[in-house]
Amino acid sequence: MSTTTACGAKPAPPASRKTIRVNGVVIPRAAIAQETQHHPATRPLDAMKAASVALVVRELLLQEARRLGIPADPASDGEGRRETEEEALIRGLVEREVQTPAADEAACRRFYEQNRRQFRSPDLHEVRHILLPANLPDRAEVAAAILARLAVAPGEFGELALAHSACPSGRTDGSLGQIGPGQTVPEFEEALARMSVGAIHSEPVETRYGLHIVALDRRIEGRDLPFDIVRGKIAAWLEEKVRRTAIRQYIQILAGRAEIDGVDLAAAGSPLVQ
């Protein structure tokens, strides 16, 4: 038995959490707890902080919308989803109070020229492979034997694929057809990027599927996409970026005029707008 228990002393209660208020309106702890599901974090405390900030910002916007008499006109989409009244109030406030310019031709073209690599069709690779599965005990020895044979008889790739490959492509000479970005695992893509056309990779390429003997038959270089094709996409991206910045600034203005207890929005960074 501990000394404190023997003396009848009670352990000190944990420090109570601060009550969070926005202009006197209390943010209920139950609402914060429910909001945490939308703010995944490594530590529960971080999720609680993010949820608290989000609800403070939401309350700021709702109070301002009501002060300005913004009408609540919930919108719906073609799939039957409908805004809540509070969502409609916030949307209406932002639409009225946060005005952002449209991206002009010059801004779009400048972004296009500065980011040309983003506006290319992807490189394509015509590839054959022989897959020795991860559960094959002697796969390294088999791979070495296949590579040794291909070094003197590369024309036997299809025959070896049919005999050894665990991939269905083994029935078609190991052909995977044309491979684009994201269609294979990163290790496979990295190996292709380093290969010369017409070559067989000098070592087996290891992935979570096993070992691959890889032959690169053709590389089709990507091409620059014309500005006219991507202008709309660029304009939408630039306008959304400006809009998010403007909303953050508007929130900062509202916070500067408000009396907020229990949360330091300045220390929390930019809330709400993701």
Side-chain angles (χ1 to χ4, degrees):
M1 182 178 295
S2 67
T3 304
T4 54
T5 304
C7 294
K10 295 181 180 179
S16 59
R17 287 176 292 174
K18 295 179 179 179
T19 299
I20 298 175
R21 297 185 180 88
V22 180
N23 293 322
V25 176
V26 174
I27 306 295
R29 290 178 181 173
I32 296 172
Q34 184 176 8
E35 177 69 16
T36 57
Q37 65 182 308
H38 304 300
H39 304 272
T42 304
R43 300 189 308 164
L45 180 60
D46 293 336
M48 292 289 285
K49 287 180 178 178
S52 299
V53 169
L55 291 180
V56 165
V57 170
R58 184 180 181 87
E59 182 62 29
L60 272 174
L61 294 171
L62 288 172
Q63 288 183 17
E64 184 66 5
R66 289 164 181 149
R67 186 185 74 81
L68 295 176
I70 302 293
D73 185 16
S76 58
D77 61 20
E79 298 181 5
R81 291 174 295 202
R82 189 171 185 271
E83 287 180 318
T84 65
E85 182 175 312
E86 290 187 345
E87 289 169 342
L89 280 173
I90 292 173
R91 176 177 53 79
L93 174 68
V94 171
E95 289 175 353
R96 171 175 152 176
E97 297 296 310
V98 183
Q99 302 296 320
T100 56
D104 60 20
E105 181 85 5
C108 291
R109 190 170 289 279
R110 185 164 54 250
F111 185 87
Y112 174 77
E113 294 298 338
Q114 293 173 349
N115 298 274
R116 293 294 289 265
R117 291 179 62 87
Q118 295 185 29
F119 305 109
R120 284 178 57 84
S121 61
D123 292 347
L124 298 176
H125 298 88
E126 291 185 0
V127 183
R128 289 173 294 151
H129 83 144
I130 300 169
L131 172 61
L132 304 175
N135 61 0
L136 184 67
D138 57 347
R139 60 186 180 280
E141 291 79 6
V142 174
I146 292 174
L147 283 172
R149 181 59 187 166
L150 290 172
V152 296
E156 293 183 9
F157 195 101
E159 180 181 338
L160 291 167
L162 181 61
H164 297 283
S165 184
C167 178
S169 64
R171 296 191 294 271
T172 55
D173 296 334
S175 175
L176 293 173
Q178 291 185 349
I179 300 296
Q183 292 183 298
T184 63
V185 292
E187 305 93 322
F188 201 95
E189 288 191 4
E190 290 168 8
L192 292 178
R194 295 192 301 266
M195 292 179 67
S196 299
V197 174
I200 295 173
H201 202 279
S202 59
E203 297 178 351
V205 176
E206 186 169 8
T207 73
R208 63 177 178 269
Y209 300 107
L211 296 180
H212 306 256
I213 311 298
V214 183
L216 176 60
D217 294 331
R218 184 185 179 200
R219 178 179 288 118
I220 305 169
E221 300 287 346
R223 297 181 180 180
D224 288 344
L225 299 175
F227 173 73
D228 290 342
I229 290 179
V230 297
R231 186 198 184 287
K233 180 180 178 180
I234 293 173
W237 188 88
L238 291 176
E239 289 166 8
E240 181 62 16
K241 182 180 179 182
V242 171
R243 174 180 171 274
R244 288 169 182 261
T245 300
I247 292 174
R248 291 188 183 99
Q249 293 171 345
Y250 181 63
I251 290 169
Q252 291 170 356
I253 292 171
L254 294 181
R257 299 199 306 238
E259 183 178 343
I260 300 173
D261 302 310
V263 167
D264 184 355
L265 285 190
S270 300
L272 187 68
V273 183
Q274 303 299 321

